[in-house]
Amino acid sequence: MVQPPDAKLYEGKAKILYATTDPRILVQEFKDDLTAFNAQKKGTFFGKGALNCQISAVLFELLASRGVPVHFRSLETPRRMLIDRLEMVPLEVVVRNRVAGSLAKRLGIPEGEELSFPVVEWYYKRDDLGDPMVNRDHIRVLKLASDAVLDKIREIALKTNEILLPFYRERGILLVDMKLEFGWNPAGDLVLGDEIDGDTSRLWEAETGVRLDKDLFRMDLGSVKEGYEKIYEKVVGHANES
Ligand code: UDP
């Protein structure tokens, strides 16, 4: 059994990684902090980390049960999960089912329009550059990942979308888009990592179009706490009681 965490390895905007006594396993702790626009806008609410951690845990379990390789091992506490230590591919992979956010601006298409097939985009994970969008040639020049690895990431990202889209739809939620991250686990397999929740996905109530995700905070559209509680209720299957 893995002992309690003893060493903080990394602290990001929304999560902290701790070492465990097993070098192959880390603790991923979800913080209550919210950031947007490359951390230019900051917020927090009590319980946010626990909501996102438990939402992510359910989604990772669902994906694993359907054959998607994931870093998730188990939920330890409401805001801590045990994960495989990954060597991350420095890319953010966005899968889109509908137009929103930066795509609406870039293509001049109104938000909400359905795309005829899921669109995959690549972003270079570099805070100092503002995570620029990159194409496969850029990725090749920067030696971030080989073409074979990109093909594999794309395949896992699309499979993830194929599983999550109907999962959310059955719960009255539109999966508009989501950002995924990948890495290599200690066994040398490419797996899905990071988190999957309202911080990293756009989720709209199907009937009303009301947003439940971080756009509530980004654009001051309403209570992000209430949005995340709704996502939790739909994904986990009962209301959050903590
Ligand atoms: N996203 C994210 N982290 C980022 C940028 C985007 O998790 O650093 C997510 C975002 O929440 C949305 C999707 O990726 O679900 C697509 O975001 P978009 O490119 O439209 O950028 P945004 O308008 O959110 O900056």
Side-chain angles (χ1 to χ4, degrees), residues 168 175 177-178 196-203 213-214:
Y168 280 120
L175 173 58
D177 58 34
M178 64 183 159
I196 316 176
D197 47 44
D199 267 13
T200 58
S201 316
R202 284 198 172 89
L203 300 165
D213 57 74
K214 199 162 92 173

Side-chain angles (χ1 to χ4, degrees), residues 3-239:
Q3 297 299 304
D6 39 31
K8 191 193 276 191
L9 295 178
Y10 168 80
E11 179 158 1
K13 293 186 278 260
K15 297 188 296 296
I16 303 174
L17 294 176
Y18 297 96
T20 68
T21 51
D22 186 332
R24 295 164 305 179
I25 299 174
L26 304 182
V27 168
Q28 177 164 264
E29 181 178 281
F30 288 63
K31 305 202 295 189
D32 285 344
D33 298 336
L34 271 161
T35 63
F37 312 117
N38 206 3
Q40 287 173 61
K41 180 169 179 171
K42 292 185 179 152
T44 187
F45 74 83
F46 179 77
K48 179 256 183 183
L51 288 166
N52 276 357
C53 181
Q54 292 171 98
I55 291 164
S56 289
V58 168
L59 296 178
F60 279 126
E61 268 172 3
L62 167 71
L63 292 166
S65 76
R66 302 281 301 275
V68 175
V70 299
H71 73 341
F72 175 79
R73 298 178 77 98
S74 60
L75 190 64
E76 285 294 281
T77 72
R79 63 194 193 99
R80 287 180 166 204
M81 54 172 66
L82 289 182
I83 57 166
D84 281 344
R85 180 195 284 261
L86 299 187
E87 195 183 313
M88 298 305 290
V89 176
L91 290 171
E92 296 192 342
V93 184
V94 170
V95 183
R96 301 177 183 273
N97 298 302
R98 284 173 186 265
V99 175
S102 65
L103 187 66
K105 285 195 199 116
R106 199 177 311 121
L107 301 188
I109 302 175
E111 285 210 312
E113 203 146 300
E114 199 168 353
L115 295 159
S116 52
F117 57 89
V119 168
V120 176
E121 295 172 352
W122 312 94
Y123 293 84
Y124 180 22
K125 254 183 96 73
R126 274 281 299 266
D127 275 346
D128 59 330
L129 299 178
D131 297 341
M133 190 178 183
V134 286
N135 67 24
R136 288 174 77 115
D137 277 354
H138 301 141
I139 294 170
R140 204 177 291 139
V141 162
L142 293 168
K143 296 188 167 59
L144 304 180
S146 68
D147 272 7
V149 168
L150 290 188
D151 287 344
K152 186 77 196 154
I153 289 177
R154 184 183 162 89
E155 185 189 316
I156 304 173
L158 289 173
K159 182 168 179 185
T160 298
N161 188 54
E162 262 172 43
I163 295 167
L164 295 186
L165 198 57
F167 175 84
Y168 280 120
R169 194 189 299 122
E170 284 157 18
R171 288 158 179 78
I173 293 176
L174 295 178
L175 173 58
V176 172
D177 58 34
M178 64 183 159
K179 185 266 297 177
L180 303 172
E181 295 190 27
F182 294 82
W184 304 93
N185 72 12
D189 298 320
L190 186 66
V191 309
L192 179 60
D194 199 47
E195 66 188 295
I196 316 176
D197 47 44
D199 267 13
T200 58
S201 316
R202 284 198 172 89
L203 300 165
W204 298 356
E205 257 178 8
E207 228 170 77
T208 60
V210 163
R211 289 154 203 260
L212 305 177
D213 57 74
K214 199 162 92 173
D215 274 350
L216 289 167
F217 168 72
R218 283 193 191 97
M219 303 193 283
D220 295 315
L221 295 174
S223 163
V224 66
K225 181 171 188 281
E226 281 171 23
Y228 284 16
E229 280 169 347
K230 272 196 192 152
I231 299 170
Y232 177 99
E233 191 177 332
K234 298 287 185 189
V235 168
V236 179
H238 57 80

